[in-house]
Amino acid sequence: MEKENATLLSEFVLLGLTHQPQWKMPLFLVFLLIYLLTVMGNLGLVAIIWRDPHLYSPMYLFLGNLAFVDAWLSTTVTPKMLVNLLTEKNVISLTECKIQFFSFVVSVTTECFLLTAMAYDRYVAICKPLLYPVIMTNTLCIRLLVLSLIGGFLHSTLHECFLFRLTFCNSNIIHHFYCDIMPLLKISCTEPSLNYLIIFIFSGSIQAFTIGTVLASYTFVLITILKKKSAKGIRKAFSTCGAHLLSVSLYFGSLLFMYLLPSSAQSDDQVMMDSLFYTVIIPLLNPIIYSLRNKQVIDSVTKIFKRNI
C-alpha cells in the first residue's frame, strides 16, 4: 500500500478545460494563437521601450517590466495547457507541478506590486508634477522593481514550503488546467486548514495593501483632476490613467474573486474560467490596452516601421 501511494504521489492528472475530444483541436488552435500574440505583444512592447530613448521614464520602465511579467505568467501556464490539449494522458509530475506553481505565484505577486508602483507613479505625476523628477528618481524606480520581484519570490517560497506538508493518497486528479494551490488542497489527504489560513493571511494582506494603495493613489488623482480648470489637462490626466485603471480593475477583480471568496461557493468550472481570464486573457489584453491609449508608444511604433521600410 505504501508503495502504491508513493507511485501515486509522483504524478498528477490535469483534467484541463474540456473532456470532449472534438473540442480539443479547436481550443488548441485558439489558445496557441492567443499565446503567440501574448508573447509577441508583450516582448514587442519591451523591445519598443528599450529601443526608444523618449520612453526612458519611470512610467515606461514599470510598463516594460509589467509586459515582461505578463509574458512570464502566460509562459508558465499556457504551454502545458497546449500540450495537454494534444495528448490523451494529461499528466504532470510532482516536481513539474511544484515548479509551475512556484513560477505562477512569483509572476502573479510581482504583477500585483508592479501595478501598485505604477499607480503611485501616476499619483506623483499628476498630484505633485513639479516634484516628480525629485521623487521618482532612477534609484527609487529600481528599488520598487527589485522589491516587487523579491516580494513575489518570498510569497511564492512561503506557499511552496507549506505545499511540502501536503500528502495525496486518495486522488491525483486536479480539476484545473495548471497546478494551483486551491485544487491541490481539495485533493490533499493532509488537513489543509493551515494552508488555507496562510493563503488568507498573506495573499489577503498583499491584495489589501496593493488594492488599498491603488485606490488611495487614484482617489488623490481624481481629486486633483477635478480641481483642474483646463479641459485639456483633464483629458490628458484621464488618458494617462485610464489604461492603468482598466488593467488594475480586470486583474485585481479576478484575483479577489478567485482567492478570497469561499472555495465552497465556487464550482471547479467557475474557478477554471476565472483562472483562464487572468492567466491567459489579461496578459493578452495588457499590451493592447497600454499601446492603443498611449500616443508616445504609437509614435514610437510608427518611427520603427518607417525606419525599416
Side-chain angles (χ1 to χ4, degrees):
M1 187 71 180
E2 288 180 4
K3 200 168 185 177
E4 289 176 8
N5 283 343
T7 304
L8 185 65
L9 281 169
S10 66
E11 63 181 28
F12 296 106
V13 177
L14 291 166
L15 287 187
L17 294 171
T18 181
H19 310 296
Q20 300 178 4
Q22 68 269 25
W23 283 104
K24 288 197 170 185
M25 185 52 68
L27 285 173
F28 171 81
L29 294 174
V30 168
F31 286 115
L32 177 62
L33 178 62
I34 288 174
Y35 177 63
L36 293 175
L37 290 174
T38 298
V39 172
M40 287 190 295
N42 282 289
L43 295 185
L45 188 56
V46 172
I48 289 166
I49 292 169
W50 179 266
R51 289 187 60 178
D52 192 342
H54 295 99
L55 301 181
Y56 288 1
S57 67
M59 182 174 80
Y60 294 105
L61 179 63
F62 292 130
L63 180 56
N65 280 273
L66 179 69
F68 175 77
V69 171
D70 275 332
W72 175 2
L73 174 59
S74 185
T75 301
T76 296
V77 172
T78 309
K80 184 63 180 176
M81 179 177 68
L82 292 173
V83 170
N84 288 344
L85 285 170
L86 289 180
T87 57
E88 293 293 326
K89 194 178 180 184
N90 303 337
V91 172
I92 185 168
S93 71
L94 182 60
T95 303
E96 285 179 310
C97 189
K98 288 177 179 177
I99 291 171
Q100 187 183 52
F101 174 67
F102 184 84
S103 180
F104 166 76
V105 177
V106 171
S107 55
V108 168
T109 308
T110 302
E111 182 150 349
C112 286
F113 287 127
L114 283 175
L115 289 170
T116 306
M118 291 171 75
Y120 177 71
D121 173 71
R122 292 300 82 204
Y123 156 73
V124 177
I126 293 171
C127 299
K128 302 177 185 292
L130 298 178
L131 294 175
Y132 184 79
V134 179
I135 297 173
M136 296 304 295
T137 60
N138 288 336
T139 303
L140 178 62
C141 292
I142 296 299
R143 282 178 182 170
L144 289 173
L145 291 173
V146 171
L147 286 173
S148 296
L149 190 58
I150 290 173
F153 271 98
L154 289 177
H155 187 224
S156 186
T157 302
L158 175 72
H159 289 297
E160 192 82 3
C161 289
F162 280 91
L163 187 61
F164 276 96
R165 67 180 287 273
L166 301 179
T167 56
F168 305 93
C169 54
N170 293 328
S171 173
N172 68 338
I173 296 174
I174 299 175
H175 291 268
H176 218 308
F177 57 93
Y178 67 92
C179 279
D180 195 8
I181 190 66
M182 292 302 192
L184 287 171
L185 294 180
K186 286 182 179 179
I187 63 170
S188 170
C189 295
T190 309
E191 170 56 45
S193 299
L194 181 59
N195 295 76
Y196 280 119
L197 182 63
I198 293 298
I199 291 168
F200 181 77
I201 291 173
F202 287 93
S203 299
S205 297
I206 288 171
Q207 290 194 45
F209 168 73
T210 52
I211 293 172
T213 304
V214 169
L215 288 176
S217 297
Y218 278 108
T219 299
F220 285 115
V221 165
L222 183 61
I223 292 169
T224 303
I225 288 173
L226 293 176
K227 287 180 180 177
K228 288 180 181 287
K229 304 295 182 183
S230 165
K232 184 180 177 182
I234 293 173
R235 281 198 303 272
K236 185 178 179 183
F238 272 117
S239 175
T240 57
C241 295
H244 185 247
L245 269 175
L246 178 59
S247 177
V248 164
S249 301
L250 291 172
Y251 190 75
F252 282 118
S254 56
L255 279 182
L256 280 171
F257 196 77
M258 263 289 295
Y259 292 104
L260 294 185
L261 278 183
S263 57
S264 58
Q266 304 175 70
S267 67
D268 292 328
D269 289 340
Q270 186 180 8
V271 169
M272 277 199 285
M273 290 303 102
D274 295 336
S275 299
L276 190 69
F277 187 70
Y278 76 83
T279 58
V280 177
I281 304 303
I282 289 179
L284 170 69
L285 293 178
N286 272 347
I288 299 170
I289 291 170
Y290 284 108
S291 299
L292 291 180
R293 292 184 59 86
N294 193 303
K295 188 176 182 301
Q296 285 181 284
V297 172
I298 293 171
D299 290 344
S300 182
V301 172
T302 305
K303 286 177 189 175
I304 290 170
F305 272 114
K306 285 182 179 177
R307 278 191 222 129
N308 295 327
I309 292 174

